[in-house]
């Protein structure tokens, strides 16, 4: 399995396997969280912090985008870098529409065979049943996003927003300042993209762009005078920041655990505190969620060195494979999550829980392995034929790190 993984190395231009491992873990958590009644769902990030796997995925996607498309911008200029970004966004768009059709067919067929129309209502597919042609048009316009199908549109919008901002990667202070202003405007004035059935997008891209651009600023590695790509900017180690991050995560863990174990404890808190804890919204990326994921990233970034040996170990290999092939793994996870739900509705005991979780993980790893095999085959064919890829033709990603 490890032979299928794109290596990292410890130099500045090497691949950061930490991103792949944690992105693979986030994709697995997303699968688990999408299966109602899954016992493992009690152990994922959303139950022990104010943030969840979605925040982790977006931050890491931004990091990978800053690394990959920032390098393309440095090598060939803004037009080339922006074109590569838009090309990737178009790939995600096609994948999203394909996933929409498959998911709608899967849920619709299950609702019909099992005589359970509640599936359509719960997953927001009832408009597709009532007005299929209009719903399909709205889906093509990204204005109709059923449940579980709102992450890829967010990612598409974030890549499009990054295109004009590529030059600002060289001025991260200005980039993050403007991004913070847009984030504040989105929260204060409810600035959002329109949604066909209920106001705005569930994941407001004008709010979530702050997390994505933060990742991009962290991932951007400027070119050195010798033309080589330098290391990504290092975040300084500060004991005060470590302590603050631990406190933030401990507060989140205590709040989430108490909310699950003793829900009535909220009534004992001062009213402003209770209101704060019950209004930590996900749609517009509440500041508590933003601070929580940044605190977690800061701790992990310093706790796990870039050249940690375990990143290249056998146990880490499945998550690296999933992280390096995030798009097919994510799409497969959405399909498998609904199958897992159907299975657990038949029996939610230990053996079925094991089948759903272990089978789902193995399937996601297999998708990553197949993607890696195809990539290796495609890279080997030009070499066997004695014809190298033309330098003017961009690959699927402009560097060794492919976002999603």
């Amino acid at each position: 399995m490890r032979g299928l993984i794109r290596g990292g190395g410890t130099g500045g231009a090497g691949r950061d396997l930490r991103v792949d491992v944690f992105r693979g873990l986030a994709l697995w958590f997303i699968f688990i969280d999408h299966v109602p009644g899954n016992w493992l769902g009690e152990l994922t990030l959303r139950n022990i912090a104010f943030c969840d796997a979605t925040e982790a995925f977006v931050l890491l996607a931004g990091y990978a985008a800053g690394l990959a498309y920032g390098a393309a911008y440095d090598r060939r200029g803004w037009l080339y870098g922006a074109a590569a970004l838009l090309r990737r966004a178009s790939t995600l768009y096609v994948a999203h529409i394909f996933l929409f059709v498959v998911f709608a067919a899967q849920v619709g067929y299950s609702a019909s065979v099992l005589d359970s129309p509640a599936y359509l209502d719960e997953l927001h597919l009832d408009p597709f049943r009532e007005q299929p042609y209009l719903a399909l048009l709205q889906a093509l316009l990204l204005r109709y996003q059923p449940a579980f199908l709102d992450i890829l549109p967010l990612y598409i919008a974030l890549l499009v927003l990054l295109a004009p901002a590529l030059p600002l990667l060289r001025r991260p202070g200005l980039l993050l300042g403007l991004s913070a202003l847009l984030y504040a405007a989105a929260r204060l004035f409810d600035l959002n993209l329109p949604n066909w059935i209920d106001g705005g997008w569930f994941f407001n891209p004008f709010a979530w762009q702050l997390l994505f651009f933060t990742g991009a600023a962290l991932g951007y590695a400027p070119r050195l005078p010798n033309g080589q790509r330098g290391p990504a900017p290092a975040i300084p180690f500060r004991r005060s920041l470590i302590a603050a991050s631990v406190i933030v995560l401990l507060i989140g863990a205590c709040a989430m655990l108490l909310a699950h174990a003793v829900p009535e404890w909220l009534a004992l808190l001062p009213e402003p505190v209770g209101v704060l804890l019950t209004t930590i919204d996900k749609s517009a990326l509440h500041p508590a969620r933003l601070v929580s994921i940044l605190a977690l990233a800061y701790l992990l970034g310093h706790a796990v060195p870039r050249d940690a040996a375990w990143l290249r170990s056998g146990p880490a290999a499945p998550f690296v494979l999933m992280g390096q092939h995030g798009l097919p793994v994510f799409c497969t996870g959405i399909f498998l999550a609904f199958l897992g739900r159907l299975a657990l509705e038949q029996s939610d005991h230990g053996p079925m829980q094991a089948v759903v979780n272990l089978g789902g993980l193995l399937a996601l790893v297999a998708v990553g392995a197949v993607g890696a095999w195809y990539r290796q085959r495609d890279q080997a064919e030009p070499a066997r034929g004695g014809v190298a890829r033309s330098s003017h033709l961009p690959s699927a990603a402009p560097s060794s790190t492919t976002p999603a």
Side-chain angles (χ1 to χ4, degrees):
M1 181 181 291
R2 277 178 283 178
L4 296 173
I5 294 173
R6 286 178 286 168
T10 59
R15 185 181 184 92
D16 193 341
L17 292 181
R18 296 176 301 177
V19 176
D20 298 321
V21 167
F22 291 123
R23 183 162 51 186
L25 188 62
L27 288 166
W28 187 40
F29 281 2
I30 289 173
F31 162 74
I32 292 171
D33 290 340
H34 283 170
V35 182
N38 191 339
W39 293 351
L40 278 185
E42 298 299 319
L43 304 177
T44 57
L45 188 58
R46 66 177 180 177
N47 293 298
I48 56 175
F50 288 135
C51 58
D52 62 22
T54 307
E55 281 88 355
F57 180 81
V58 171
L59 179 64
L60 293 171
Y63 184 97
L67 178 60
Y69 299 108
Y73 166 66
D74 285 341
R75 287 199 313 268
R76 304 287 290 275
W78 174 80
L79 184 61
Y80 181 86
L85 270 169
L86 296 179
R87 178 184 179 183
R88 185 61 180 170
S90 66
T91 300
L92 295 174
Y93 175 80
V94 172
H96 169 70
I97 297 304
F98 175 78
L99 179 60
F100 173 88
V101 173
V102 171
F103 186 68
Q106 178 191 31
V107 176
Y109 180 76
S110 300
S112 175
V113 171
L114 301 176
D115 192 24
S116 183
Y119 292 151
L120 298 174
D121 180 63
E122 181 182 339
L123 298 174
H124 305 159
L125 281 167
D126 44 319
F128 190 78
R129 174 186 59 186
E130 298 163 1
Q131 304 179 73
Y133 300 115
L134 179 57
L136 183 57
L137 174 62
Q138 297 294 341
L140 290 170
L141 297 174
L142 301 183
R143 287 167 48 91
Y144 173 42
Q145 300 169 13
F148 304 163
L149 300 185
D150 39 25
I151 296 180
L152 284 182
L154 170 66
Y155 196 5
I156 293 168
L158 295 177
L159 289 177
V160 172
L161 286 173
L162 180 59
L166 274 177
L168 295 180
L169 288 175
R170 295 177 177 174
R171 303 180 64 185
L174 178 59
L175 172 64
L176 295 181
L178 294 174
S179 178
L181 287 176
L182 181 56
Y183 170 80
R187 290 195 58 85
L188 291 174
F189 305 112
D190 199 23
L191 181 64
N192 199 350
L193 292 177
N195 195 346
W196 177 42
I197 54 177
D198 53 5
W201 286 23
F202 177 77
F203 291 113
N204 184 340
F206 299 124
W208 282 77
Q209 52 78 31
L210 178 56
L211 182 58
F212 183 78
F213 283 170
T214 300
L218 293 173
Y220 173 63
R223 298 187 73 184
L224 300 175
N226 61 7
Q228 297 296 317
R229 191 172 63 197
I235 302 300
F237 179 88
R238 298 283 187 272
R239 293 184 182 276
S240 58
L241 290 178
I242 292 292
S245 297
V246 170
I247 291 172
V248 165
L249 294 177
L250 283 177
I251 291 174
C254 292
M256 298 304 295
L257 292 175
L258 285 173
H260 280 81
V262 192
E264 59 272 14
W265 77 281
L266 287 171
L268 305 177
L269 296 175
E271 183 176 354
V273 177
V275 170
L276 173 64
L277 293 177
T278 56
T279 56
I280 298 179
D281 64 288
K282 187 175 184 178
S283 179
L285 190 61
H286 191 280
R289 302 183 71 97
L290 177 63
V291 172
S292 182
I293 189 61
L294 292 179
L296 179 61
Y298 184 77
L299 291 178
L300 289 176
H302 286 291
V304 182
R306 183 180 178 127
D307 58 351
W310 69 266
L311 295 172
R312 295 164 186 81
S313 67
F319 298 100
V320 174
L321 276 176
M322 289 193 292
Q324 291 184 349
H325 302 275
L327 179 58
V329 168
F330 172 80
C331 294
T332 303
I334 296 298
F335 177 79
L336 292 177
F338 187 73
L339 292 182
R341 170 183 181 160
L342 296 179
L344 292 183
E345 286 179 348
Q346 302 305 310
S347 171
D348 64 350
H349 298 302
M352 186 61 76
Q353 294 278 345
V355 168
V356 168
N357 287 295
L358 182 59
L361 177 60
L362 291 176
L364 297 181
V365 174
V367 169
V370 169
W373 181 83
Y374 271 107
R375 176 177 281 118
Q376 287 189 356
R377 187 199 67 170
D378 293 343
Q379 291 174 346
E381 283 182 350
R384 287 197 299 267
V387 179
R389 182 187 297 219
S390 299
S391 61
H392 65 280
L393 292 177
S395 61
S399 80
S400 62
T401 299
T402 305

